[in-house]
Amino acid sequence: MADATVNPQRGILRWAALGLAALLAACASGPRVIPETRPAPTVEAPRERPSTRPISPGLPQDVERHRVALLVPMTGPNAGVGKSLANATQLAILDTKSDVLRITTYDTAGGAANAARQAIADGNKLILGPLLAEEAREVAPIARAARVPVLSFSNDTAVAGNGTYLLGYSPAQSIERVVDYARAQGVTNFVGLMTSGVYGERASTSFLRAVEDQGGKVLAMETYDGRPGSMTSAITKLSRTPYQAILIAGSGASGVTAAPIIRKSAGGKASRILGTELWNTDSAIGSNAVLNGAWFASVPDNYYRTYATKYRTRFGAAPYRLSTLGYDAVLLTVRIAREWRPGDIFPERRLVAPDGFGGLDGAFRFGRDGIAERALEVQEVKGGTTVTISPAPAGFGG
């Protein structure tokens, strides 16, 4: 089992002043990957205090600290991202210099439901994680029955609500943000190149709504999959009508593959290429010259690079881009801990704060639907890197 400790400090949530101040050192970036996982049992590392209480089976019963569970894969194919999230929570604890949270890591590789049951049996009053939507579906009813809120790292809005809150980056929000920016630059005619599957279906709906809301037109949409020639065929169909911008709803690698084909097509020679939040998970996206001039919306990167440097120094490896969700989940918990007595149920109402929270990924707040609304920036691929062309808002008005 892996254990860590935290205590509230003033100003934690004004841009995570304690944690973030400690990060203003250098710049670096690490692999940005949104992983896939499979779920199982417990991990814990320690800062035990001497106690005169009798020894009993199970975890030590801490009456002075809040018990918080971290449910992530520590073994199996997604162990890398799970360990990166666990390391990020440790880093947040160290940066806040607090001592009121006791975070225990439970391995979901053997089953997220089993991990959740064990976490609740051990007395945890808040769950950070799990990673994937299917795991969140398993955990949600177990946690709800115990009145334990879940802050999942998933971005699948279908699992949000009824005590489950999503910290993951929303495709719908990134599409809306980049479309809004494109419309402000005079783009009116759009087309969409959508990956097949659930992500593409939801991206299509979000894209149509965003363009319509901004008074633009979606002239056509086509889907592609992994079959040879599928993407080329889709782009050829789209090029029958000239368009000003094309949204590629897929990974950064999909954008790199599609861009040269788009530039050779009749309708896409001078079009603006738009991407989604998935592009920000690729640390090398800016170095792909074929994407020069492309725009995509994502969480701000201004703190990520310094965080990555500090993370690499402490743990000897680069973090996954997604690991900042673990760091920011701790900052959020530390802030709320000021109004939370150890042993009591977690004050869930405090999660839906109009002014929201802040952290490495910028400002965010939960709606009553349990989905994190994020303040996003627009980046452009330019000269071997990415540059911010429309900064994220500093916070929320209320």
PDB file of all heavy atoms in Angstrom, residues 139-161:
ATOM      1  N   VAL A 139     -17.360   1.447 -10.164  1.00  0.00           N
ATOM      2  CA  VAL A 139     -17.108   2.043  -8.849  1.00  0.00           C
ATOM      3  C   VAL A 139     -18.299   2.878  -8.362  1.00  0.00           C
ATOM      4  O   VAL A 139     -18.616   2.896  -7.169  1.00  0.00           O
ATOM      5  CB  VAL A 139     -15.832   2.914  -8.904  1.00  0.00           C
ATOM      6  CG1 VAL A 139     -15.688   3.768  -7.647  1.00  0.00           C
ATOM      7  CG2 VAL A 139     -14.605   2.028  -9.106  1.00  0.00           C
ATOM      8  N   ALA A 140     -18.983   3.568  -9.283  1.00  0.00           N
ATOM      9  CA  ALA A 140     -20.004   4.547  -8.909  1.00  0.00           C
ATOM     10  C   ALA A 140     -21.068   4.015  -7.949  1.00  0.00           C
ATOM     11  O   ALA A 140     -21.313   4.615  -6.888  1.00  0.00           O
ATOM     12  CB  ALA A 140     -20.644   5.134 -10.165  1.00  0.00           C
ATOM     13  N   PRO A 141     -21.744   2.895  -8.238  1.00  0.00           N
ATOM     14  CA  PRO A 141     -22.805   2.445  -7.320  1.00  0.00           C
ATOM     15  C   PRO A 141     -22.277   2.010  -5.955  1.00  0.00           C
ATOM     16  O   PRO A 141     -22.945   2.194  -4.937  1.00  0.00           O
ATOM     17  CB  PRO A 141     -23.449   1.268  -8.066  1.00  0.00           C
ATOM     18  CG  PRO A 141     -22.434   0.823  -9.069  1.00  0.00           C
ATOM     19  CD  PRO A 141     -21.655   2.039  -9.439  1.00  0.00           C
ATOM     20  N   ILE A 142     -21.069   1.457  -5.939  1.00  0.00           N
ATOM     21  CA  ILE A 142     -20.457   1.030  -4.672  1.00  0.00           C
ATOM     22  C   ILE A 142     -20.162   2.252  -3.807  1.00  0.00           C
ATOM     23  O   ILE A 142     -20.473   2.293  -2.617  1.00  0.00           O
ATOM     24  CB  ILE A 142     -19.160   0.247  -4.950  1.00  0.00           C
ATOM     25  CG1 ILE A 142     -19.470  -1.019  -5.754  1.00  0.00           C
ATOM     26  CG2 ILE A 142     -18.427  -0.088  -3.656  1.00  0.00           C
ATOM     27  CD1 ILE A 142     -18.242  -1.686  -6.343  1.00  0.00           C
ATOM     28  N   ALA A 143     -19.577   3.279  -4.421  1.00  0.00           N
ATOM     29  CA  ALA A 143     -19.238   4.491  -3.688  1.00  0.00           C
ATOM     30  C   ALA A 143     -20.496   5.251  -3.266  1.00  0.00           C
ATOM     31  O   ALA A 143     -20.580   5.785  -2.149  1.00  0.00           O
ATOM     32  CB  ALA A 143     -18.344   5.378  -4.556  1.00  0.00           C
ATOM     33  N   ARG A 144     -21.488   5.298  -4.159  1.00  0.00           N
ATOM     34  CA  ARG A 144     -22.719   6.031  -3.850  1.00  0.00           C
ATOM     35  C   ARG A 144     -23.413   5.428  -2.632  1.00  0.00           C
ATOM     36  O   ARG A 144     -23.910   6.150  -1.759  1.00  0.00           O
ATOM     37  CB  ARG A 144     -23.646   6.024  -5.058  1.00  0.00           C
ATOM     38  CG  ARG A 144     -24.849   6.972  -4.904  1.00  0.00           C
ATOM     39  CD  ARG A 144     -25.775   6.951  -6.097  1.00  0.00           C
ATOM     40  NE  ARG A 144     -25.184   6.842  -7.199  1.00  0.00           N
ATOM     41  CZ  ARG A 144     -24.964   6.001  -8.265  1.00  0.00           C
ATOM     42  NH1 ARG A 144     -25.252   5.332  -8.471  1.00  0.00           N
ATOM     43  NH2 ARG A 144     -24.429   5.826  -9.251  1.00  0.00           N
ATOM     44  N   ALA A 145     -23.458   4.102  -2.562  1.00  0.00           N
ATOM     45  CA  ALA A 145     -24.105   3.433  -1.434  1.00  0.00           C
ATOM     46  C   ALA A 145     -23.415   3.767  -0.111  1.00  0.00           C
ATOM     47  O   ALA A 145     -24.054   3.792   0.945  1.00  0.00           O
ATOM     48  CB  ALA A 145     -24.110   1.924  -1.658  1.00  0.00           C
ATOM     49  N   ALA A 146     -22.122   4.053  -0.181  1.00  0.00           N
ATOM     50  CA  ALA A 146     -21.353   4.379   1.025  1.00  0.00           C
ATOM     51  C   ALA A 146     -21.241   5.881   1.256  1.00  0.00           C
ATOM     52  O   ALA A 146     -20.566   6.312   2.187  1.00  0.00           O
ATOM     53  CB  ALA A 146     -19.955   3.776   0.928  1.00  0.00           C
ATOM     54  N   ARG A 147     -21.877   6.676   0.383  1.00  0.00           N
ATOM     55  CA  ARG A 147     -21.834   8.145   0.458  1.00  0.00           C
ATOM     56  C   ARG A 147     -20.399   8.658   0.333  1.00  0.00           C
ATOM     57  O   ARG A 147     -19.976   9.574   1.031  1.00  0.00           O
ATOM     58  CB  ARG A 147     -22.494   8.648   1.746  1.00  0.00           C
ATOM     59  CG  ARG A 147     -23.940   8.238   1.890  1.00  0.00           C
ATOM     60  CD  ARG A 147     -24.529   8.726   3.187  1.00  0.00           C
ATOM     61  NE  ARG A 147     -24.669  10.177   3.210  1.00  0.00           N
ATOM     62  CZ  ARG A 147     -24.996  10.875   4.298  1.00  0.00           C
ATOM     63  NH1 ARG A 147     -25.181  10.244   5.461  1.00  0.00           N
ATOM     64  NH2 ARG A 147     -25.108  12.188   4.248  1.00  0.00           N
ATOM     65  N   VAL A 148     -19.663   8.048  -0.593  1.00  0.00           N
ATOM     66  CA  VAL A 148     -18.279   8.448  -0.862  1.00  0.00           C
ATOM     67  C   VAL A 148     -18.215   9.022  -2.283  1.00  0.00           C
ATOM     68  O   VAL A 148     -18.398   8.285  -3.253  1.00  0.00           O
ATOM     69  CB  VAL A 148     -17.316   7.254  -0.729  1.00  0.00           C
ATOM     70  CG1 VAL A 148     -15.898   7.641  -1.166  1.00  0.00           C
ATOM     71  CG2 VAL A 148     -17.308   6.728   0.702  1.00  0.00           C
ATOM     72  N   PRO A 149     -17.966  10.312  -2.455  1.00  0.00           N
ATOM     73  CA  PRO A 149     -17.875  10.893  -3.799  1.00  0.00           C
ATOM     74  C   PRO A 149     -16.668  10.351  -4.568  1.00  0.00           C
ATOM     75  O   PRO A 149     -15.660   9.944  -3.977  1.00  0.00           O
ATOM     76  CB  PRO A 149     -17.711  12.397  -3.535  1.00  0.00           C
ATOM     77  CG  PRO A 149     -18.196  12.598  -2.143  1.00  0.00           C
ATOM     78  CD  PRO A 149     -17.869  11.335  -1.403  1.00  0.00           C
ATOM     79  N   VAL A 150     -16.797  10.347  -5.899  1.00  0.00           N
ATOM     80  CA  VAL A 150     -15.755   9.852  -6.794  1.00  0.00           C
ATOM     81  C   VAL A 150     -15.318  10.985  -7.714  1.00  0.00           C
ATOM     82  O   VAL A 150     -16.153  11.600  -8.382  1.00  0.00           O
ATOM     83  CB  VAL A 150     -16.279   8.671  -7.643  1.00  0.00           C
ATOM     84  CG1 VAL A 150     -15.252   8.251  -8.680  1.00  0.00           C
ATOM     85  CG2 VAL A 150     -16.666   7.505  -6.745  1.00  0.00           C
ATOM     86  N   LEU A 151     -14.019  11.266  -7.747  1.00  0.00           N
ATOM     87  CA  LEU A 151     -13.450  12.231  -8.697  1.00  0.00           C
ATOM     88  C   LEU A 151     -12.679  11.427  -9.737  1.00  0.00           C
ATOM     89  O   LEU A 151     -11.498  11.122  -9.561  1.00  0.00           O
ATOM     90  CB  LEU A 151     -12.517  13.224  -7.998  1.00  0.00           C
ATOM     91  CG  LEU A 151     -13.124  14.101  -6.898  1.00  0.00           C
ATOM     92  CD1 LEU A 151     -12.083  15.074  -6.354  1.00  0.00           C
ATOM     93  CD2 LEU A 151     -14.332  14.856  -7.411  1.00  0.00           C
ATOM     94  N   SER A 152     -13.356  11.066 -10.816  1.00  0.00           N
ATOM     95  CA  SER A 152     -12.751  10.188 -11.814  1.00  0.00           C
ATOM     96  C   SER A 152     -11.880  10.967 -12.794  1.00  0.00           C
ATOM     97  O   SER A 152     -12.146  12.129 -13.093  1.00  0.00           O
ATOM     98  CB  SER A 152     -13.856   9.461 -12.586  1.00  0.00           C
ATOM     99  OG  SER A 152     -13.309   8.716 -13.659  1.00  0.00           O
ATOM    100  N   PHE A 153     -10.851  10.291 -13.317  1.00  0.00           N
ATOM    101  CA  PHE A 153      -9.976  10.897 -14.317  1.00  0.00           C
ATOM    102  C   PHE A 153     -10.500  10.659 -15.737  1.00  0.00           C
ATOM    103  O   PHE A 153      -9.866  11.068 -16.705  1.00  0.00           O
ATOM    104  CB  PHE A 153      -8.557  10.331 -14.181  1.00  0.00           C
ATOM    105  CG  PHE A 153      -7.969  10.526 -12.802  1.00  0.00           C
ATOM    106  CD1 PHE A 153      -7.417   9.457 -12.102  1.00  0.00           C
ATOM    107  CD2 PHE A 153      -7.991  11.771 -12.201  1.00  0.00           C
ATOM    108  CE1 PHE A 153      -6.888   9.639 -10.828  1.00  0.00           C
ATOM    109  CE2 PHE A 153      -7.467  11.966 -10.922  1.00  0.00           C
ATOM    110  CZ  PHE A 153      -6.917  10.897 -10.237  1.00  0.00           C
ATOM    111  N   SER A 154     -11.659  10.033 -15.851  1.00  0.00           N
ATOM    112  CA  SER A 154     -12.269   9.794 -17.160  1.00  0.00           C
ATOM    113  C   SER A 154     -12.839  11.092 -17.731  1.00  0.00           C
ATOM    114  O   SER A 154     -13.080  12.058 -16.999  1.00  0.00           O
ATOM    115  CB  SER A 154     -13.392   8.761 -17.022  1.00  0.00           C
ATOM    116  OG  SER A 154     -14.184   8.694 -18.192  1.00  0.00           O
ATOM    117  N   ASN A 155     -13.084  11.099 -19.054  1.00  0.00           N
ATOM    118  CA  ASN A 155     -13.753  12.242 -19.675  1.00  0.00           C
ATOM    119  C   ASN A 155     -15.059  11.821 -20.349  1.00  0.00           C
ATOM    120  O   ASN A 155     -15.622  12.570 -21.142  1.00  0.00           O
ATOM    121  CB  ASN A 155     -12.842  12.929 -20.702  1.00  0.00           C
ATOM    122  CG  ASN A 155     -12.522  12.038 -21.889  1.00  0.00           C
ATOM    123  OD1 ASN A 155     -12.939  10.889 -21.957  1.00  0.00           O
ATOM    124  ND2 ASN A 155     -11.756  12.558 -22.829  1.00  0.00           N
ATOM    125  N   ASP A 156     -15.550  10.629 -20.036  1.00  0.00           N
ATOM    126  CA  ASP A 156     -16.776  10.117 -20.635  1.00  0.00           C
ATOM    127  C   ASP A 156     -17.967  10.665 -19.854  1.00  0.00           C
ATOM    128  O   ASP A 156     -18.273  10.210 -18.750  1.00  0.00           O
ATOM    129  CB  ASP A 156     -16.773   8.590 -20.610  1.00  0.00           C
ATOM    130  CG  ASP A 156     -17.960   7.986 -21.343  1.00  0.00           C
ATOM    131  OD1 ASP A 156     -18.930   8.722 -21.620  1.00  0.00           O
ATOM    132  OD2 ASP A 156     -17.925   6.779 -21.637  1.00  0.00           O
ATOM    133  N   THR A 157     -18.665  11.639 -20.428  1.00  0.00           N
ATOM    134  CA  THR A 157     -19.745  12.317 -19.716  1.00  0.00           C
ATOM    135  C   THR A 157     -20.896  11.373 -19.345  1.00  0.00           C
ATOM    136  O   THR A 157     -21.699  11.698 -18.471  1.00  0.00           O
ATOM    137  CB  THR A 157     -20.298  13.478 -20.561  1.00  0.00           C
ATOM    138  OG1 THR A 157     -20.727  12.981 -21.836  1.00  0.00           O
ATOM    139  CG2 THR A 157     -19.233  14.544 -20.776  1.00  0.00           C
ATOM    140  N   ALA A 158     -20.956  10.218 -19.985  1.00  0.00           N
ATOM    141  CA  ALA A 158     -22.031   9.273 -19.697  1.00  0.00           C
ATOM    142  C   ALA A 158     -21.942   8.712 -18.280  1.00  0.00           C
ATOM    143  O   ALA A 158     -22.936   8.197 -17.752  1.00  0.00           O
ATOM    144  CB  ALA A 158     -22.018   8.126 -20.699  1.00  0.00           C
ATOM    145  N   VAL A 159     -20.779   8.795 -17.638  1.00  0.00           N
ATOM    146  CA  VAL A 159     -20.640   8.223 -16.290  1.00  0.00           C
ATOM    147  C   VAL A 159     -20.740   9.286 -15.197  1.00  0.00           C
ATOM    148  O   VAL A 159     -20.650   8.978 -14.017  1.00  0.00           O
ATOM    149  CB  VAL A 159     -19.306   7.444 -16.139  1.00  0.00           C
ATOM    150  CG1 VAL A 159     -19.207   6.336 -17.163  1.00  0.00           C
ATOM    151  CG2 VAL A 159     -18.099   8.375 -16.246  1.00  0.00           C
ATOM    152  N   ALA A 160     -20.929  10.547 -15.582  1.00  0.00           N
ATOM    153  CA  ALA A 160     -20.965  11.635 -14.593  1.00  0.00           C
ATOM    154  C   ALA A 160     -22.321  11.709 -13.907  1.00  0.00           C
ATOM    155  O   ALA A 160     -23.342  11.295 -14.447  1.00  0.00           O
ATOM    156  CB  ALA A 160     -20.650  12.956 -15.276  1.00  0.00           C
ATOM    157  N   GLY A 161     -22.323  12.265 -12.704  1.00  0.00           N
ATOM    158  CA  GLY A 161     -23.552  12.488 -11.958  1.00  0.00           C
ATOM    159  C   GLY A 161     -23.744  11.503 -10.834  1.00  0.00           C
ATOM    160  O   GLY A 161     -23.053  10.494 -10.728  1.00  0.00           O
TER     161      GLY A 161
END
